[in-house]
Amino acid sequence: MPRAVITGAAGGIGGAVARTFAAAGYELALLDLSKAEQPGAESIALDLTDPEAVAEAFERIARRWDRIDALINVAGINHRAPVREMAVADWDRMMDVNVGHMFLTAKNAVSHMGEGAAIVNMASISGHVATPDYPAYVTTKAAVESFTFALSQEVGDRGIRVNAVAPGWVNAGFTDAALSEAENPQDIFDAAREAHLLGRMAEPEEVADAALWLASPEASFVTGQTLFVDGGLMRKH
Ligand SMILES: NC(=O)c1ccc[n+]([C@@H]2O[C@H](COP(=O)([O-])OP(=O)(O)OC[C@H]3O[C@@H](n4cnc5c(N)ncnc54)[C@H](O)[C@@H]3O)[C@@H](O)[C@H]2O)c1
């Protein structure tokens, strides 16, 4: 049975990733601030920006498993503030969660990974297209791809693949939060129809399927790449 560690698994996209990997026969360890609900999975509640907590979580995982086949880094936060108004602490937190946690999990995971193992990091089209008033998010999501590329170079000779998934708008998580705050939620769906060639947002399972493929032997010669799961949004820019 293959084994996957998934961060952000209590969230919208991370939850779909956990369900998708479970359905594909993976044994799961789920890391998030709160315990992720998934039958049969080991859920560990922690702050993924805490180096000691992350190290302890991987020690716990290593006591149970003799290897890790997949690390799927999904945890992330968003913060709306233009540069001139953003608090330094908010900027630092964005970096620590969105990029730093991927460094910490990879740092602890790669020694338990070998030939055929894979890491998948959740990026975003926001690292590529105008997203006004979200400079920290844009910066972190671009950095996720740079980190993915750099790590793929470091571990390629051990047969470990590292890729990123860059979704467009996804009908879950951050979008749920935006919908609940919107005066007219239909405006968001209308904007999504305009933004994507396919005329809609992604369902979280469509993003999870891409992560599953990148982690699978079917993607055995794919590394250092970003897979855009964006319904053609990038092709409209
Ligand atoms: N929803 C979208 O439209 C969309 C689009 C593109 C990319 N993404 C990316 O997908 C990922 C998941 O987003 P989502 O929309 O499912 O949001 P979400 O808020 O539902 O999920 C994020 C999860 O990360 C966890 N998390 C945040 N900080 C943490 C920390 N310090 N320690 C441990 N866990 C922490 C949260 O508890 C949450 O469960 C993010 O990386 C986001 O940037 C989302």
Side-chain angles (χ1 to χ4, degrees):
M1 194 182 237
R3 288 147 178 182
V5 179
I6 303 170
T7 76
I13 296 173
V17 171
R19 290 190 297 277
T20 298
F21 275 67
Y26 279 78
E27 197 173 340
L28 301 179
L30 307 177
L31 312 186
D32 203 308
L33 284 172
S34 58
K35 286 202 168 186
E37 303 294 332
Q38 177 69 42
E42 172 159 22
S43 278
I44 302 175
L46 80 172
D47 185 335
L48 284 158
T49 67
D50 177 344
E52 283 173 17
V54 175
E56 272 171 31
F58 277 88
E59 280 163 22
R60 191 167 141 186
I61 290 164
R63 280 198 292 277
R64 214 175 121 197
W65 297 348
D66 59 357
R67 62 172 203 286
I68 295 170
D69 298 295
L71 167 64
I72 318 297
N73 285 316
V74 185
I77 54 173
N78 207 348
H79 187 85
R80 180 178 188 158
V83 169
R84 62 191 181 281
E85 289 170 16
M86 180 171 264
V88 172
D90 290 333
W91 176 271
D92 289 347
R93 184 74 183 159
M94 287 291 292
M95 297 298 151
D96 286 350
V97 176
N98 289 8
V99 192
H101 106 267
M102 297 190 182
F103 157 70
L104 288 176
T105 55
K107 183 176 171 60
N108 285 280
V110 287
S111 57
H112 304 291
M113 300 179 114
E115 180 76 33
I119 297 173
V120 180
N121 296 322
M122 200 55 64
S124 168
I125 48 90
S126 295
H128 295 262
V129 298
T131 314
D133 288 342
Y134 290 90
Y137 188 69
V138 166
T139 304
T140 60
K141 287 296 158 177
V144 166
E145 290 186 57
S146 300
F147 177 65
T148 300
F149 169 53
L151 185 60
S152 71
Q153 292 186 317
E154 183 177 322
V155 298
D157 63 355
R158 294 179 48 208
I160 303 170
R161 298 178 301 99
V162 191
N163 292 289
V165 171
W169 304 9
V170 184
N171 191 16
F174 292 179
T175 307
D176 283 346
L179 285 168
S180 66
E181 285 164 17
E183 236 169 71
N184 183 4
Q186 188 55 43
D187 289 348
I188 295 180
F189 290 106
D190 291 346
R193 191 163 55 240
E194 276 301 303
H196 301 78
L197 286 181
L198 295 181
R200 63 174 177 85
M201 300 181 203
E203 293 304 317
E205 290 74 18
E206 295 176 291
V207 177
D209 283 341
L212 179 67
W213 178 73
L214 283 170
S216 76
E218 280 69 38
S220 56
F221 208 54
V222 180
T223 196
Q225 302 298 314
T226 298
L227 176 54
F228 288 90
V229 182
D230 69 346
L233 182 148
M234 292 289 291
R235 295 298 179 214
K236 288 197 90 168
H237 283 264

